[in-house]
Amino acid sequence: MSSNPVQNQSAGRRVVLVTGASSGIGAATALRFAAAGDIVYGLSRHPAELPGVLPLAADVTDEAQVMAAVAEIVAAQGRVDVLVNNAGFGISGAVEFTELEEAGRQFDVNLFGMARCIRAALPHMREAKSGLILNVSSVAGALPIPFQAYYSAAKAAVNALTLTLQNELRPHGVRVAALLPGDVKTGFTAARRKNSAGAALYPALLRSVSAMERDEQNGMPPRRIAERLYAISKKKRPKGLYSCGLQYQFFLFLGKVLPVRLYNWIIGKLYA
């Protein structure tokens, strides 16, 4: 039996780390796991005070900060049972006029930030032969949206990383899955970095981004995504990729059964 009183108190309760937990999906997810009795750490650059959630300050683009945050959790609790990778942001604009530095920042946060968190938590999960990695992706990762090319590409990479990890970690008892939300009403919309360069050459750009943001603000509340993430976390054998809502399940189904040329034409009609 462990002599660590904190570890004794946490017996039977999962230790959960949620990134990007200061608002939106991350905050809702941290609160949902905490309400279920889990020990929840909310990591973000500027942590918010959330009831029942232990705040951790770290930037997912800084490997040393991420490693230190996970080390702090392990020192206090002895383990990390669930890692929810949610930290991210969006950019929009025409590919031709998007600076590669900005595109690189998109990948550094949304993909490599996730990878840093996985690299920090995974050795502890592998040693315990248990654990769950839950990655928040996007429907755009499966059905790329015009004028969101780099966001779509980063989320497609998240899907690929998730499925690869699932096969790599199966022998070690670590489960991996990703959730692909559709439109969700959060502060993510206002925080998007919009680039309107080239709008005269691409007349659909501003109209497309405006329509997309309108859909987001009429989208699901973040608690719906939090509930879905929590439900996935209770599955003994999660499949690789999940969606949330019948509408988005239908879109993803069409993306699988329709010829690429046809479903891409449909998306073009909707957004370009």
Side-chain angles (χ1 to χ4, degrees):
M1 181 178 293
S2 171
S3 60
N4 186 327
V6 177
Q7 291 183 35
N8 290 336
Q9 292 172 13
S10 68
R13 303 169 65 192
R14 296 182 301 178
V15 179
V16 181
L17 171 59
V18 180
T19 72
S22 60
S23 63
I25 292 173
T29 300
L31 290 170
R32 177 63 182 90
F33 278 82
D38 291 324
I39 300 169
V40 182
Y41 288 82
L43 183 148
S44 56
R45 289 182 300 166
H46 308 291
E49 293 295 327
L50 301 173
V53 178
L54 300 166
L56 281 175
D59 186 333
V60 296
T61 66
D62 187 315
E63 187 165 9
Q65 290 185 21
V66 171
M67 289 289 185
V70 172
E72 182 177 336
I73 295 172
V74 173
Q77 308 295 342
R79 65 190 194 277
V80 177
D81 297 312
V82 181
L83 167 63
V84 181
N85 281 309
N86 168 74
F89 76 103
I91 64 173
S92 64
V95 170
E96 181 182 354
F97 292 96
T98 300
E99 296 294 336
L100 292 184
E101 182 179 354
E102 184 72 358
R105 172 71 177 169
Q106 178 83 110
F107 274 81
D108 198 24
V109 175
N110 291 20
L111 177 64
F112 298 123
M114 181 176 293
R116 292 182 187 96
C117 294
I118 291 170
R119 281 165 48 84
L122 186 51
H124 306 286
M125 293 181 173
R126 185 167 36 75
E127 184 177 355
K129 297 187 182 303
S130 68
L132 169 67
I133 297 169
L134 264 178
N135 299 325
V136 178
S137 181
S138 170
V139 168
L143 303 173
I145 299 174
F147 307 112
Q148 279 198 99
Y150 289 108
Y151 177 79
S152 298
K155 291 302 187 179
V158 167
N159 296 345
L161 181 73
T162 298
L163 295 178
T164 300
L165 273 175
Q166 192 176 61
N167 281 329
E168 290 183 3
L169 297 179
R170 187 175 289 111
H172 298 284
V174 179
R175 296 166 295 149
V176 189
L179 177 62
L180 285 63
D183 295 315
V184 184
K185 185 178 181 178
T186 69
F188 183 91
T189 303
R192 178 179 285 108
R193 298 180 185 176
K194 292 182 284 189
N195 178 6
S196 60
L201 295 171
Y202 294 94
L205 193 163
L206 299 181
R207 183 174 66 251
S208 174
V209 174
S210 177
M212 175 184 62
E213 295 192 335
R214 183 175 61 250
D215 290 344
E216 289 172 348
Q217 289 308 293
N218 290 314
M220 295 178 287
R223 65 177 180 275
R224 280 278 305 278
I225 307 303
E227 288 289 349
R228 185 71 162 139
L229 287 166
Y230 181 79
I232 296 169
S233 80
K234 304 298 286 185
K235 295 180 180 294
K236 291 184 178 180
R237 289 185 175 180
K239 63 182 183 179
L241 305 177
Y242 290 86
S243 59
C244 185
L246 292 176
Q247 174 186 1
Y248 301 106
Q249 291 176 23
F250 178 67
F251 288 158
L252 292 173
F253 172 76
L254 289 181
K256 292 178 181 179
V257 300
L258 293 179
V260 172
R261 182 176 180 179
L262 178 55
Y263 83 67
N264 202 41
W265 178 83
I266 294 171
I267 292 174
K269 281 293 184 181
L270 290 172
Y271 290 103

